[in-house]
Amino acid sequence: MWRAPLRPSSRLAGPAAPPEHKRTAGLVLLSTLVLAACAGASHGGNPGGPGEAAGARFAEGGGPDAAPDAAQGDLELRPAAGRSGTIRWETADRPSMAGAYLAGRVAMDEGDVLLAADNFEIALEADPDNEELRRQMFLLRLAGGALERAVADAGTLIEHGIQSDEARMLLAFAATREGAKDEAAAHLAAVGSDGVTGVAKPLLDGWMMFDRGRTDAALAAFTGGEDAGGLELVRAYHRASMLALLDRDAEARDLLRGAIDPQQRIPTRLLMALVALEARTGRYDEAAALLAAQRAMAPDDVVLGRLSEEIDARTTPAIPITDATTGMADAMLSLARALTDQRAAGQGLLFARLASYLAPQDGDVWLLIGQQMLVEGNAPAAVAALDRIEPGSIYGWDAGLLQATALADQERTDEAAALLRRLANQRPERADALVALGDLLRREERYAEAADAYSDALARITKPGPGHWRLLYARGIAYERTDRWPEAEADFLAALEIDPDQPFVLNYLGYSWVDRGEHLDRGKEMLRRAIELRPDDGFIVDSLGWAHYRLGEYDDAVAQLERAVELTPDDPVINDHLGDAYWRVGREREARFQWERALTFEPTEADVAQIEQKLRSGLPPADIAGDADRG
């Protein structure tokens, strides 16, 4: 939650806040990735509950069974030969399994899955029969994109009789790339039919049959039926793609037309195939009408814009699936996106990596991997993935925006800003790069520049839509921070004209009015309405409490601020506010407790100085104007 120092009205909650890719999210994802994929399903590779994982005892017990205590032997940390930074724990006579394992866990906690895998490999030297650790090593390398090493690890798993659906699929894909079709089919046949891999298996089976020339059987595999399991649209897309590869374009087009509802959002890759088939069958007007309807529902979708440009120029877009290999990759990508959307991001990342092994030229795959790396807080890995996307491709624009985010996450602000300005100059009809620039500059507290970027973005928007309250809200904050209150107030009011019940705008404007001694009744009513809309938002509740405080309504302030602390107990500003309110109602011991507690939550340097002064001397006699000055 972004918040500038000293001023609770400035808390920027909600959708307009700058994106933060927390490392803690990556830790959860990585642990889920290893443990869920190791869970006890029949083939060892389907996701299960983290607590059911066979390797969970390592996480709970601090190391593999029978591992020596850290105090045993003279352990030292030194870089191992080969990978820079790899930690190898050694005793005088042999590598310590416990030390290498713990080093791997540290690497996982820091988001470096490949370093973790390397250290687990060292641990395996001491315990080569440890199946759970060997499986973890494979999954981490697959997730980290070390695919050739993952192929070797997958082979070792099978040799040791360790079942893993992901390993079998990767070996099937490796055989497919080498043209070993029988071997590929044998590996795929060993994949289980349960869980997520059970959803993928029929799609992969169909494309493998197609690859082996069994086209009728392959087409039949994608014919909907009672066992379609909700995958009718996916099957129709893959069947149509097969028909297109057989030069049966009209049949493929009719199949997709019958499968979709043009009044609903159509999956992007299916839409790309249908638009291409419309063009290939001479139906450019139908393609244009379909795209116009889709763009009305997603006006900022750059892929739809590029497709429209191609259709307007009477050129034929490419169908995403160009052969059996890309068909299999497409199936894995579709499932990866579905898993990510369902918050099964660990398994989704594995499927995305499998897709990248089959179709390394597909920018859509790398876009998903880059997005997931940003969510994990691994900006360098995100950049590495996004660099695989051609800037001029249909996915190049989105990749550029994500690259700017990755640069910002690495505190390379000037580089990120320069990239966003280049993007904005490349596409003068689009506002999103300028919006991202404004968000970046505002996060760096460069408010005047942020306001200029937002203004440039607004100048490019000819018809404001329901979502544009965010842009007005963000510019209003930038104006308020540069003491341009009339412009800020106008933007907040304009945002509320678009969305009258937007709680974050109500909170900011309502508090600002109370803070300034303007429109007091209306401001407090806005704050109450914001709380009605978000009753469990501690920051908004704090705003109302602090408004009561500034107006000298100390009993009401205590009631609201106690509730705010209950909702958000670890925020330094809210705890500091409650301390002030306690002091004003004569509860001085409790006030000092709250101030001391606020210091434990890493307040800003300016706040630390003020809190320490209050701990020494308390607050001066109540003076509403003075209290306002201290806020």
Side-chain angles (χ1 to χ4, degrees):
M1 183 70 64
W2 176 90
R3 177 216 302 264
L6 299 179
R7 192 176 302 189
S9 66
S10 69
R11 71 183 103 250
L12 184 56
E20 295 182 2
H21 307 289
K22 297 293 189 183
R23 181 168 298 280
T24 52
L27 306 188
V28 173
L29 184 148
L30 291 171
S31 297
T32 302
L33 182 152
V34 172
L35 297 178
C38 290
S42 60
H43 277 66
N46 297 321
E52 300 170 356
R57 56 191 171 88
F58 292 173
E60 295 172 0
D65 292 340
D69 292 336
Q72 291 180 327
D74 295 324
L75 303 179
E76 63 181 87
L77 283 169
R78 68 182 67 167
R83 179 173 170 82
S84 174
T86 301
I87 300 176
R88 183 188 297 273
W89 290 69
E90 297 179 353
T91 61
D93 53 352
R94 62 178 293 179
S96 160
M97 184 183 181
Y101 176 80
L102 292 173
R105 292 294 300 180
V106 169
M108 279 185 62
D109 289 345
E110 293 179 352
D112 193 336
V113 293
L114 296 181
L115 182 58
D118 287 350
N119 281 288
F120 288 165
E121 185 172 32
I122 295 167
L124 280 168
E125 295 175 10
D127 187 5
D129 296 326
N130 191 311
E131 294 185 2
E132 291 83 3
L133 195 56
R134 193 173 295 279
R135 188 184 286 112
Q136 287 189 19
M137 182 178 70
F138 159 70
L139 290 169
L140 290 169
R141 284 188 174 139
L142 176 58
L147 297 181
E148 294 304 328
R149 297 189 73 183
V151 169
D153 291 341
T156 303
L157 285 178
I158 303 308
E159 290 172 6
H160 282 70
I162 303 170
Q163 294 297 335
S164 166
D165 286 342
E166 289 83 4
R168 285 290 188 181
M169 286 192 291
L170 182 57
L171 291 172
F173 297 161
T176 297
R177 289 187 5 161
E178 296 169 1
K181 298 178 182 180
D182 291 341
E183 181 183 348
H187 281 301
L188 186 59
V191 172
S193 298
D194 299 325
V196 179
T197 51
V199 176
K201 186 175 180 180
L203 303 175
L204 301 175
D205 276 334
W207 281 109
M208 282 201 174
M209 286 188 284
F210 187 87
D211 194 33
R212 301 172 81 183
R214 299 174 55 197
T215 55
D216 290 341
L219 289 168
F222 291 117
T223 300
E226 294 182 359
D227 62 340
L231 296 175
E232 293 86 354
L233 198 60
V234 174
R235 291 188 176 196
Y237 165 57
H238 284 273
R239 180 180 169 86
S241 297
M242 284 185 180
L243 290 170
L245 291 172
L246 296 170
D247 295 325
R248 294 160 64 177
D249 291 345
E251 190 178 347
R253 179 261 181 196
D254 293 344
L255 173 62
L256 289 184
R257 272 289 181 180
I260 66 164
D261 179 355
Q263 302 306 313
Q264 302 294 325
R265 282 298 310 273
I266 301 170
T268 300
R269 292 173 78 90
L270 187 153
L271 179 63
M272 293 169 69
L274 178 53
V275 167
L277 289 165
E278 297 280 21
R280 282 164 60 162
T281 54
R283 295 178 172 90
Y284 284 98
D285 291 341
E286 287 88 339
L290 177 64
L291 285 169
Q294 292 295 304
R295 293 187 72 186
M297 290 180 267
D300 295 326
D301 191 311
V302 68
V303 173
L304 299 187
R306 286 287 296 271
L307 288 173
S308 295
E309 291 171 5
E310 293 184 54
I311 291 300
D312 290 344
R314 289 301 193 261
T315 59
T316 301
I319 294 178
I321 296 175
T322 58
D323 55 20
T325 300
T326 54
M328 287 186 278
D330 199 296
M332 300 306 295
L333 177 60
S334 297
L335 292 172
R337 286 199 181 281
L339 287 163
T340 301
D341 291 343
Q342 295 171 18
R343 299 186 179 181
Q347 190 77 17
L349 178 59
L350 296 177
F351 276 39
R353 289 295 190 184
L354 289 167
S356 75
Y357 188 65
L358 285 168
Q361 77 289 346
D362 192 330
D364 201 7
V365 175
W366 294 111
L367 196 64
L368 177 59
I369 293 172
Q371 290 168 335
Q372 194 55 59
M373 292 299 97
L374 282 175
V375 170
E376 287 189 36
N378 193 338
V383 170
L386 297 168
D387 280 344
R388 301 291 297 268
I389 302 172
E390 290 292 333
S393 75
I394 200 168
Y395 304 109
W397 180 264
D398 287 334
L401 293 177
L402 285 176
Q403 283 177 320
T405 300
L407 290 170
D409 284 357
Q410 297 175 83
E411 300 183 357
R412 297 160 63 182
T413 304
D414 290 341
E415 293 175 69
L419 173 56
L420 290 169
R421 289 189 176 97
R422 288 198 302 273
L423 290 171
N425 290 334
Q426 290 170 13
R427 302 297 295 266
E429 77 283 5
R430 295 190 63 88
D432 45 357
L434 290 169
V435 174
L437 177 61
D439 289 342
L440 169 68
L441 295 169
R442 188 190 56 195
R443 186 166 60 182
E444 294 297 315
E445 301 185 9
R446 294 161 60 175
Y447 297 112
E449 295 173 81
D452 290 342
Y454 291 136
S455 294
D456 290 342
L458 283 164
R460 295 186 178 189
I461 298 171
T462 56
K463 186 178 180 182
H468 288 128
W469 69 265
R470 296 176 177 85
L471 183 50
L472 290 162
Y473 174 47
R475 188 176 68 171
I477 290 168
Y479 280 150
E480 187 264 343
R481 286 320 189 90
T482 51
D483 296 321
R484 299 171 64 180
W485 174 246
E487 294 98 323
E489 183 181 47
D491 274 353
F492 294 142
L493 290 170
L496 289 174
E497 287 181 11
I498 296 174
D499 189 348
D501 274 339
Q502 179 34 249
F504 306 113
V505 185
L506 290 169
N507 175 57
Y508 205 113
L509 178 57
Y511 182 85
S512 296
W513 275 343
V514 172
D515 182 37
R516 297 172 61 85
E518 302 170 359
H519 312 294
L520 297 181
D521 291 338
R522 188 179 176 190
K524 288 169 66 175
E525 185 58 34
M526 281 186 172
L527 292 172
R528 293 191 183 98
R529 179 58 180 154
I531 291 175
E532 289 176 5
L533 293 165
R534 292 181 63 87
D536 296 327
D537 189 318
F539 297 102
I540 293 179
V541 175
D542 171 69
S543 289
L544 179 58
W546 198 238
H548 283 305
Y549 180 92
R550 293 196 174 199
L551 294 172
E553 300 164 355
Y554 299 124
D555 290 331
D556 290 335
V558 167
Q560 294 295 335
L561 292 170
E562 285 181 336
R563 172 65 175 154
V565 167
E566 288 178 7
L567 293 169
T568 312
D570 58 355
D571 183 82
V573 175
I574 296 177
N575 280 278
D576 181 33
H577 285 173
L578 180 57
D580 288 4
Y582 278 154
W583 186 274
R584 291 300 183 208
V585 296
R587 297 163 64 177
E588 296 181 3
R589 291 182 63 183
E590 292 167 275
R592 292 184 185 280
F593 174 82
Q594 289 302 141
W595 291 331
E596 289 173 350
R597 194 164 186 266
L599 289 175
T600 68
F601 297 128
E602 300 182 2
T604 66
E605 291 184 9
D607 281 346
V608 168
Q610 289 195 7
I611 293 170
E612 289 178 343
Q613 175 62 36
K614 288 186 287 190
L615 284 168
R616 287 191 297 269
S617 308
L619 288 174
D623 176 77
I624 295 176
D627 284 337
D629 290 341
R630 271 190 300 279

